[in-house]
Amino acid sequence: MPITADCHLHSSHSGDSDTPMEEMILQGIKQGLDTMCFTEHHDIDYPDSADGPGDIFLLNTDSYLYDLVRLKEKYEGKIRLLFGVELGLQPEAFRPISVYAKSYEFDFLIASSHICHGRDPYYAAFYEGRSEEEAYREYFESVLENVKKFSCFDVYGHLDYVVRYGPNKDREYSYGKYRDIIDEILKSLIEKEKGLEINTGGLKGGMRDIHPCAEILKRYKELGGEIVTIGSDAHSPENIASHFGRASEVLKACGFQYYTIFEKRNAEFRKI
């Protein structure tokens, strides 16, 4: 069966998208999706950058929810729309992030590491003055810190996000180089009954593999992990459900029989 649920989507309610939510929905219906989960960015304490103030990633959740409820009613019977957020985790913001996660009746919460010790790997400065491997390792260490500290999420998003922006992207990257720390991350997620997101967003930017790479997904399965959601990370209509055929192939090759959708924070498993 094809994957018909895209569970990582952004609209103009996120600071890095200018696409109205309704345009995203209409494209999803056109592509034959039966479920879309919007996961607008909410990054507390995101630092200011050359591109603008960090508060562009603070979500106006009431405005977002109003828009979603309105469109949910309008397109009832045509597509299921779910209420999600992509939470940018930082240990220093543990309390406000944890409080926020309980403040609304979310369907789905993705945890993401966009900031590593005060810096975003999106910017070249994160890699300057050291090897790519050193930068990647620092990033994974920060992910592990977040996984151990937080529980207010359902899956960890684009676990190896850092390789999307590294000097060589994923050309010299492999699970084996970071096996020690990645295994600890995966074991902690499984112990907390948290899942992994398969994120196809990096493929359009020239990556060879999905996030996380197939080796990590295979290892997650070997360790007993079963919860995997699928998301395009689309910020505009043309990228909705992109490369989902590839995601399906990778899932099957890694031994998975199901993918997951969350509604009211409860897991629903669908046959691949």
Side-chain angles (χ1 to χ4, degrees):
M1 291 180 64
I3 295 168
T4 56
D6 193 335
C7 293
H8 190 147
L9 295 164
H10 299 278
S11 74
S12 56
H13 290 284
S14 287
D16 54 359
S17 173
D18 58 7
T19 306
M21 185 181 287
E22 189 163 17
E23 285 188 25
M24 300 290 282
I25 294 167
L26 289 171
Q27 181 63 24
I29 293 171
K30 184 178 179 181
Q31 290 186 213
L33 295 180
D34 61 34
T35 302
M36 298 174 76
C37 184
F38 285 89
T39 51
E40 308 293 4
H41 285 296
H42 188 55
D43 281 66
I44 295 172
D45 286 348
Y46 187 93
D48 295 342
S49 71
D51 293 332
D55 63 8
I56 66 166
F57 290 114
L58 287 178
L59 178 61
N60 183 334
T61 312
D62 290 334
S63 176
Y64 160 41
L65 181 56
Y66 176 84
D67 209 10
L68 182 68
V69 169
R70 177 180 62 83
L71 293 168
K72 193 171 185 177
E73 292 175 355
K74 182 174 180 178
Y75 291 100
E76 185 176 4
K78 295 183 178 180
I79 195 162
R80 176 168 60 158
L81 301 176
L82 299 174
F83 177 38
V85 163
E86 182 178 9
L87 282 173
L89 301 189
Q90 295 189 69
E92 298 81 4
F94 174 78
R95 180 168 175 76
I97 290 171
S98 300
V99 169
Y100 174 80
K102 296 177 181 178
S103 299
Y104 294 85
E105 293 184 0
F106 293 111
D107 288 308
F108 181 46
L109 291 173
I110 299 175
S112 291
S113 289
H114 296 129
I115 299 299
C116 174
H117 302 140
R119 296 188 293 171
D120 188 340
Y122 175 84
Y123 295 102
F126 183 77
Y127 309 91
E128 291 173 356
R130 55 179 170 169
S131 70
E132 186 175 71
E133 186 170 341
E134 287 173 326
Y136 286 5
R137 181 164 288 275
E138 182 192 354
Y139 179 82
F140 287 124
E141 287 171 351
S142 74
V143 171
L144 178 59
E145 186 178 7
N146 283 331
V147 169
K148 288 187 171 182
K149 192 171 186 70
F150 289 91
S151 296
C152 57
F153 64 93
D154 301 305
V155 304
Y156 220 93
H158 45 50
L159 187 71
D160 47 13
Y161 164 87
V162 68
V163 306
R164 191 185 291 186
Y165 304 109
N168 295 295
K169 296 188 183 292
D170 61 350
R171 289 191 293 276
E172 298 174 12
Y173 160 70
S174 68
Y175 153 72
K177 284 186 178 181
Y178 312 94
R179 178 192 302 268
D180 56 336
I181 190 164
I182 290 175
D183 275 6
E184 201 171 344
I185 291 169
L186 298 179
K187 289 173 184 176
S188 294
L189 287 171
I190 292 167
E191 182 180 348
K192 289 189 168 190
E193 299 183 334
K194 306 299 183 184
L196 279 180
E197 177 204 31
I198 293 181
N199 184 302
T200 61
L203 294 172
K204 69 179 182 292
M207 284 181 55
R208 299 175 304 166
D209 210 343
I210 57 176
H211 289 302
C213 66
E215 293 175 298
I216 292 178
L217 286 168
K218 184 178 180 182
R219 182 58 174 155
Y220 174 68
K221 185 71 169 69
E222 289 172 349
L223 291 169
E226 293 288 347
I227 300 169
V228 286
T229 62
I230 318 294
S232 65
D233 207 348
H235 290 64
S236 55
E238 66 271 16
N239 294 315
I240 292 171
S242 63
H243 303 286
F244 274 20
R246 171 82 171 274
S248 179
E249 291 171 3
V250 171
L251 271 176
K252 290 176 181 177
C254 292
F256 291 93
Q257 298 182 48
Y258 301 91
Y259 70 99
T260 314
I261 300 166
F262 281 84
E263 184 168 14
K264 299 192 183 303
R265 309 291 304 282
N266 293 313
E268 168 191 320
F269 291 90
R270 287 189 178 183
K271 187 80 173 174
I272 301 170

